[in-house]
Amino acid sequence: MCGIVGYVGDGNARDIIIDGLKRLEYRGYDSAGIALHEAAGLVVRKQKGKIKNLEDSIAGETFTSSVGIGHTRWATHGAPSETNSHPHLSESGKIAVVHNGIIENYVKLKEKLQKEHGVKFKSETDTEVIAQLIGLYYKGDLMDAVYKATAEMEGAYAIGVIAADEPDKIVAVRRDAPLIVGLGTHCNFIASDIPALLKYVRQIYLIENNETVLITKEAAKIFDSDRKEVKRDVFHVTWDADAAEKEGYDHFMLKEIHEQPKGVGETLNRRLDDDGSIKLDGITISKEELEKINKIYIVACGTAYHAGLVGKYAIEKFAKIPVEVDIASEFRYRDPFVDENTMFIAVSQSGETLDTLEALREAKRKGARILSVVNVVGSTVARESDDVFYTWAGPEIAVASTKAYTTQIMCFYLIALYMATKRGTITADYYNQIMGELKALPEKIQRILDNEKQIEELAKKQYKLSSIFYIGRGADVGVAYEGSLKLKEISYINSFAIAAGELKHGTIALIEDGTVVFALATQDRLYDKMLSNIQEVRARGAYVLGLAKENNKEIEKQASDVIFIPECADEVTPILTVIPLQIFAYYVAKFRGCDIDKPKNLAKSVTVE
Ligand code: AGP
């Protein structure tokens, strides 16, 4: 997601817009830019990197404009660069556009503009297509040109547009991406989100889908898709700016936990063709090259490593290729067997984790094919890979990774199914069954989130605990590791994860009266064995927090408390199983008064070995 800000008024547009962009930095921060109406026409300044880079780069310039638009980018199409950052201009230089979202049919529109109108493009972005299209239709009426252009655009987007020949107005459009209007005295604003405006206004219009907005210094009007003006109640914002960045959640972590239905859904749906087949943009490996692959390493750190454990399970189950999952900091020091028939999959939210990067470089030196699963477009891991499979989780601000983990797992399901179809190791029926299960996940995640209160209550009962064990079998083992990491890194409680069947080989000696054990029992085929493991630890005085699918009620007789998740196939449970563990960790840390978004000793991206 990206951030948009626009201002029309009596004040200095450059200062006000930069201010607003800084409050939207949580929406994206790999590049930023601004377009202003100056005497010489539209002046555009943009910079790669954080908004401060932009601010510093224009500090020495004098701008008198009181009308402009600005943008902070989270790249989805086109790596972060000055050329790809917004605003984008039409060829005439008379139209400037900022954009949040994705134009699904931008390639077709770009080809039409190039072939039929000879338009020359400067960037690889879908946004420049919008600017050129509006420029094509612009005959002196900006609203008219915007309506004509957006009628051809498909996808989810919010845009802000200014025209050199109409220096007193901004036009904006909302289609499935957030857009608001800020109402001031002799000034008006557009923005992606409330935090950008709170320093100046608290009266806003919430813009609805397929509405177009025209703002000037003295007026803010909303029009529907037929260009009929619509009336809108004014919404009075009571939040403070800090709360607004978290959209009312107390912490970014909780906000990001709640963004998972959308993130998981987008990571899946944008890669499905109309016939339900998988279109893996960014994967160039050929069928022949894929057939040569006889070994896969999945290498990562922390939560990304735990996603890799689920990835192993999916790839071996669907694509029947042996997979080894390794911790990046160990991988290259054990002289692993790697050759040109090896695929190395690096997993990294930030794409900057040095342990993972150095392991990738080692595998590359030995001839492996490098595929990476990354959340930050254009990050170092992405740039050094042969193929990149992006998670579309949006910026993850909290140090504790949540939505990146579930979208990474979704990527592994897609990679595994893609490989299985190319290698002929999956029947069409089974493929369709699993694909149906994956499509149902966002709604099921939401159902678990709707049950947040129960999990909060369980956390309130347990938040004073000094240690906790997470146990599971099959696909639940990797999730147990992730649940344990979530708890320890934000609540500082000593938590430990182990395969349930391994308990009796030593660790069970630690189980005593009152020990808390989180038992994950979602695998139908291993359910009875898990019930035995629960009895094993209960017999030694443990308090067992059970987690199972909602139809498996037997666990209620064995566990002290139970959290249920919606029914689903064993293969796809991890994305659901982890949600209650994330929520549990969050509330335990909250009741303990911990600094949840910025835990002690931790960084969001560990760029040292
Ligand atoms: C996860 O909650 C932690 N923040 C940490 O383990 C993290 O997953 C690890 O440092 C890897 O980061 P990356 O995904 O950006 O490579």
Side-chain angles (χ1 to χ4, degrees):
M1 54 186 168
C2 303
I4 292 175
V5 180
Y7 170 76
V8 188
D10 293 325
N12 182 291
R14 183 268 299 267
D15 297 345
I16 292 167
I17 291 168
I18 293 282
D19 247 355
L21 290 178
K22 283 179 181 174
R23 296 303 306 192
L24 295 182
E25 202 144 40
Y26 72 91
R27 298 181 63 83
Y29 41 73
D30 57 45
S31 53
I34 190 166
L36 300 168
H37 272 292
E38 292 288 328
L42 294 186
V43 170
V44 173
R45 296 286 184 273
K46 39 193 188 178
Q47 279 290 328
K48 186 179 169 189
K50 291 207 179 281
I51 291 154
K52 182 132 180 33
N53 295 8
L54 172 66
E55 186 177 28
D56 293 349
S57 72
I58 59 177
E61 293 191 69
T62 303
F63 296 103
T64 57
S65 172
S66 59
V67 183
I69 52 177
H71 182 272
T72 183
R73 186 173 185 236
W74 178 263
T76 51
H77 283 79
S81 68
E82 202 173 309
T83 310
N84 287 335
S85 50
H86 307 198
H88 285 280
L89 288 171
S90 60
E91 253 187 335
S92 64
K94 288 183 171 288
I95 303 292
V97 172
V98 289
H99 162 225
N100 174 29
I102 285 195
I103 307 304
E104 304 287 359
N105 63 334
Y106 83 98
V107 172
K108 192 171 72 176
L109 293 172
K110 185 168 185 173
E111 284 168 1
K112 171 191 158 190
L113 287 161
Q114 288 169 318
K115 291 188 181 120
E116 295 174 22
H117 303 281
V119 172
K120 301 260 182 302
F121 282 80
K122 294 195 180 84
S123 79
E124 50 191 310
T125 65
D126 53 350
T127 307
E128 189 185 354
V129 172
I130 305 172
Q132 301 292 10
L133 201 55
I134 295 171
L136 177 74
Y137 289 124
Y138 186 72
K139 305 283 184 266
D141 179 332
L142 183 56
M143 279 283 280
D144 200 42
V146 168
Y147 265 93
K148 285 193 176 101
T150 51
E152 295 184 31
M153 290 157 39
E154 295 165 14
Y157 59 83
I159 60 173
V161 192
I162 57 177
D165 297 340
E166 298 179 60
D168 62 338
K169 64 172 65 90
I170 296 175
V171 175
V173 181
R174 174 188 173 157
R175 188 173 298 166
D176 289 329
L179 182 70
I180 58 174
V181 168
L183 305 167
T185 307
H186 306 308
C187 66
N188 288 302
F189 299 75
I190 62 163
S192 302
D193 203 353
I194 290 169
L197 309 179
L198 280 186
K199 185 176 174 184
Y200 307 98
V201 294
R202 286 189 172 272
Q203 313 283 349
I204 65 168
Y205 285 147
L206 299 171
I207 305 307
E208 293 174 12
N209 268 349
N210 299 314
E211 290 185 338
T212 299
V213 165
L214 170 63
I215 65 167
T216 61
K217 189 170 83 162
E218 300 301 343
K221 295 185 175 174
I222 306 170
F223 301 88
D224 66 15
S225 48
D226 298 322
R227 210 165 163 176
K228 276 209 306 297
E229 189 171 352
V230 297
K231 288 301 170 207
R232 183 59 39 80
D233 293 340
V234 173
F235 176 81
H236 180 78
V237 182
T238 54
W239 293 338
D240 66 32
D242 192 40
E245 272 186 46
K246 304 180 189 85
E247 291 174 10
Y249 291 102
D250 288 343
H251 297 93
F252 276 112
M253 183 180 177
L254 189 59
K255 173 172 173 276
E256 288 157 6
I257 287 172
H258 281 264
E259 288 175 341
Q260 291 180 107
K262 180 170 182 282
V264 166
E266 291 202 347
T267 299
L268 169 64
N269 297 326
R270 285 205 213 140
R271 291 188 170 97
L272 295 183
D273 265 331
D274 299 341
D275 65 0
S277 64
I278 298 170
K279 54 179 180 180
L280 292 194
D281 54 322
I283 306 286
T284 58
I285 188 167
S286 68
K287 186 172 184 303
E288 295 67 36
E289 286 169 317
L290 195 53
E291 275 159 3
K292 271 176 34 191
I293 301 294
N294 58 20
K295 166 97 182 196
I296 295 178
Y297 283 104
I298 300 176
V299 176
C301 304
T303 289
Y305 166 76
H306 299 151
L309 294 172
V310 179
K312 165 186 169 71
Y313 176 82
I315 294 172
E316 288 185 343
K317 179 134 185 91
F318 302 143
K320 311 295 182 210
I321 304 176
V323 178
E324 196 170 332
V325 189
D326 212 343
I327 290 172
S329 53
E330 289 298 312
F331 175 77
R332 60 199 172 99
Y333 297 112
R334 61 182 184 83
D335 195 17
F337 179 77
V338 176
D339 66 14
E340 66 284 351
N341 298 324
T342 307
M343 175 177 276
F344 177 97
I345 303 180
V347 191
S348 176
Q349 188 285 130
S350 63
E352 301 302 340
T353 300
L354 191 55
D355 283 331
T356 305
L357 200 51
E358 291 300 344
L360 179 158
R361 289 164 177 164
E362 171 77 2
K364 200 165 194 174
R365 276 192 289 275
K366 293 189 170 183
R369 174 89 187 189
I370 310 295
L371 166 65
S372 60
V373 176
V374 176
N375 196 39
V376 179
V377 175
S379 54
T380 310
V381 166
R383 289 200 310 275
E384 297 192 15
S385 302
D386 298 310
D387 295 312
V388 183
F389 200 108
Y390 284 116
T391 49
W392 277 322
E396 189 175 70
I397 308 298
V399 165
S401 185
T402 51
K403 61 181 184 174
Y405 173 77
T406 47
T407 52
Q408 285 161 357
I409 292 178
M410 178 55 81
C411 286
F412 274 118
Y413 287 134
L414 290 169
I415 291 167
L417 289 171
Y418 177 81
M419 290 181 175
T421 48
K422 295 293 179 200
R423 294 165 52 91
T425 56
I426 190 168
T427 65
D429 286 350
Y430 185 40
Y431 174 93
N432 292 329
Q433 180 212 330
I434 295 297
M435 193 51 80
E437 291 276 351
L438 296 179
K439 287 176 183 171
L441 286 177
E443 182 271 329
K444 291 178 179 178
I445 296 172
Q446 189 55 54
R447 279 173 52 197
I448 296 170
L449 295 173
D450 294 343
N451 184 37
E452 179 175 344
K453 199 65 194 152
Q454 181 216 3
I455 302 165
E456 180 184 353
E457 289 306 316
L458 290 170
K460 197 166 186 176
K461 267 169 83 172
Q462 299 301 336
Y463 76 95
K464 291 193 178 100
L465 74 167
S466 56
S467 72
I468 182 171
F469 288 77
Y470 288 78
I471 65 172
R473 286 176 176 262
D476 283 340
V477 177
V479 183
Y481 284 123
E482 175 56 14
S484 171
L485 176 62
K486 281 292 90 52
L487 188 81
K488 75 178 83 170
E489 70 174 324
I490 63 173
S491 70
Y492 317 136
I493 289 169
N494 182 6
S495 68
F496 180 84
I498 186 169
E502 186 62 10
L503 257 178
K504 57 188 174 296
H505 300 286
T507 306
I508 200 161
L510 295 177
I511 305 294
E512 56 192 20
D513 204 33
T515 302
V516 178
V517 176
F518 217 130
L520 311 183
T522 72
Q523 303 296 288
D524 293 338
R525 63 193 180 90
L526 296 164
Y527 183 67
D528 292 340
K529 287 197 179 299
M530 274 305 296
L531 293 183
S532 307
N533 290 131
I534 291 172
Q535 284 163 358
E536 225 172 45
V537 294
R538 285 293 310 265
R540 289 161 176 79
Y543 162 87
V544 175
L545 241 176
L547 192 153
K549 290 175 192 167
E550 56 195 4
N551 294 343
N552 290 343
K553 300 296 187 194
E554 183 64 23
I555 193 169
E556 287 181 311
K557 296 177 194 148
Q558 313 293 345
S560 319
D561 281 296
V562 181
I563 298 168
F564 287 109
I565 62 170
E567 282 299 318
C568 64
D570 279 4
E571 293 88 333
V572 303
T573 58
I575 285 187
L576 298 182
T577 310
V578 76
I579 306 296
L581 307 187
Q582 295 169 343
I583 298 170
F584 180 79
Y586 171 80
Y587 280 106
V588 166
K590 187 172 184 184
F591 288 125
R592 291 169 71 98
C594 297
D595 182 356
I596 292 171
D597 285 335
K598 296 188 179 71
K600 68 180 179 182
N601 309 336
L602 299 184
K604 184 58 186 167
S605 175
V606 183
T607 54
V608 292
E609 282 200 86

